[in-house]
Amino acid sequence: MKKFLFLLILIAGITLLIQKTGLFKSNHSLPQVTKSADIFSGIGYVPVDPSQFDVAVLSDQVTAPTRLKLTPDGKFLLVTQITGEVLAFTRTNTGWNPQPQLVTKVDTKAPGFPPDEFGLVSLVFSSQFATNHKVFLLYAYKDTDEKIYNRISVVDIKEKNGKLIASAPKQIFQANIAGNVSRQITDGIGINYFDKSHLCFLIGEGFRGEL
């Protein structure tokens, strides 16, 4: 009987606490979230104005693309492929040329996906790209012992006669510890620090490296 009475008092106390504090009460002042499926069924997750944007296939000339980035001047769309290629799509008056141009290729010793899920995963523009034209290629490399190492190579990319040309990739970093697919290098950003260009990059589950 005492246990039952204690339980009733406990429930009454919790109920009073919820009423006083407003815990779990709906906040009608917050904006209502509209599901994208209610606006554009089957197209993306973020609703857009159909009078300003359109969804279309750009090209079918890519294999296992891993990252898409616009050049800082907006003239080219660069696409990295897990097999090591960097492709460029040229902006036209009506959109984009669907035929990509091979800008450069870095050797990863990986056949691509499937079967492997590692290789060239991203590129990063130098924070001073407008003057030094440097682009960093972030990738995982398989050595002769079948070990996987994170690497970074750099290329100089310039425009010539409406196309992008690149220098041969030069390796500037390799991890001193072999990794695996879940801890491969993923992406990065170029920053200026004390008027000098730096590269910050991510590896796997949140590890940050700096060059």
Side-chain angles (χ1 to χ4, degrees), residues 10 35 75 182 186:
L10 180 62
K35 295 181 179 179
K75 291 183 178 181
S182 65
T186 55

Side-chain angles (χ1 to χ4, degrees), residues 110-131:
F113 178 78
D116 293 321
E117 296 184 25
F118 70 91
L120 177 60
V121 294
S122 188
L123 61 83
V124 179
F125 293 102
S126 166
S127 59
Q128 299 176 4
F129 176 77
T131 54

